[in-house]
Amino acid sequence: MTTTRTPAADATADAGTAAAAAAAAAHEGATTTVNPVLRVPPAAPAAAAAYFRASLAFHADVSDVAAAFTAHREQGAGLGFQLVDSRSTPSWDQARVPGAIHLPTALIPEQAERLLDKGLPVVTYCWGPGCNGGARSALALAELGFQVKEMLGGIEYWIREGFEVETWQGSERRAGADPLTAPTDSDDCGC
């Protein structure tokens, strides 16, 4: 007689083996400490690679956006994307990334196709890590057929990393990068 093993049977066997090992350890008086980091085991390397590759397809960081703008200005290199500030008009007036296009999330359905080029990817941003406005605007644009990424960190990390902003009074830059968020002795964080 040939026995065919199914994934469910393998899982049941693995669970039985694990239960037997746990019972033996408990019987011997051993204690097991659950590491909170490993309570859920890491994904298999192939699954992790697929996840992080996909994550990079959805996100850009402020340093990469700033580097693209610098190359665009200094070398005449094509920018290759459009940067959208999805915050309100008072927020836009307070400070914005130079070169960004102002398009509040609520106005995307009626104005995006008039203000943006569908042939160029769009990078969105909002306030910062505690705000999901950049993700909401990216979703609204994707639903209209735009290729999109979200700039992680938003205007908060743009400012904290020491990049120039525009205000209604003109351009300004902090004295230096916040040493807790960006390198202070180099333009390259090494990542």
Side-chain angles (χ1 to χ4, degrees):
M1 177 173 145
T2 304
T3 304
T4 303
R5 297 200 48 125
T6 65
D10 288 343
T12 302
D14 290 345
T17 303
H27 179 70
E28 294 174 14
T31 59
T32 304
T33 303
V34 176
N35 177 332
V37 172
L38 301 175
R39 185 174 297 134
V40 174
Y51 171 83
F52 291 112
R53 184 176 298 107
S55 174
L56 293 172
F58 297 111
H59 299 111
D61 67 26
V62 296
S63 295
D64 289 343
V65 172
F69 271 103
T70 298
H72 176 66
R73 274 191 319 272
E74 293 176 358
Q75 302 162 9
L79 189 57
F81 64 91
Q82 305 157 96
L83 183 65
V84 168
D85 183 318
S86 64
R87 298 172 305 140
S88 68
T89 298
S91 300
W92 167 265
D93 289 343
Q94 188 175 332
R96 60 192 168 273
V97 174
I101 299 164
H102 186 223
L103 181 55
T105 303
L107 300 178
I108 287 173
E110 64 190 59
Q111 295 184 7
E113 293 187 7
R114 184 173 47 83
L115 294 175
L116 303 173
D117 178 351
K118 267 197 171 169
L120 286 175
V122 178
V123 177
T124 64
Y125 74 88
C126 203
W127 277 107
C131 172
N132 66 3
R136 283 195 315 270
S137 62
L139 172 60
L141 288 163
E143 288 175 339
L144 291 174
F146 288 89
Q147 289 185 305
V148 293
K149 287 188 172 200
E150 177 187 11
M151 183 176 79
L152 296 175
I155 190 77
E156 176 187 347
Y157 274 73
W158 183 271
I159 294 168
R160 290 182 78 178
E161 291 194 21
F163 300 119
E164 180 181 41
V165 295
E166 290 178 343
T167 70
W168 63 273
Q169 297 173 323
S171 295
E172 63 182 63
R173 180 186 303 257
R174 281 185 155 190
D178 180 337
L180 298 177
T181 63
T184 56
D185 60 350
S186 170
D187 288 338
D188 183 8
C189 69
C191 58

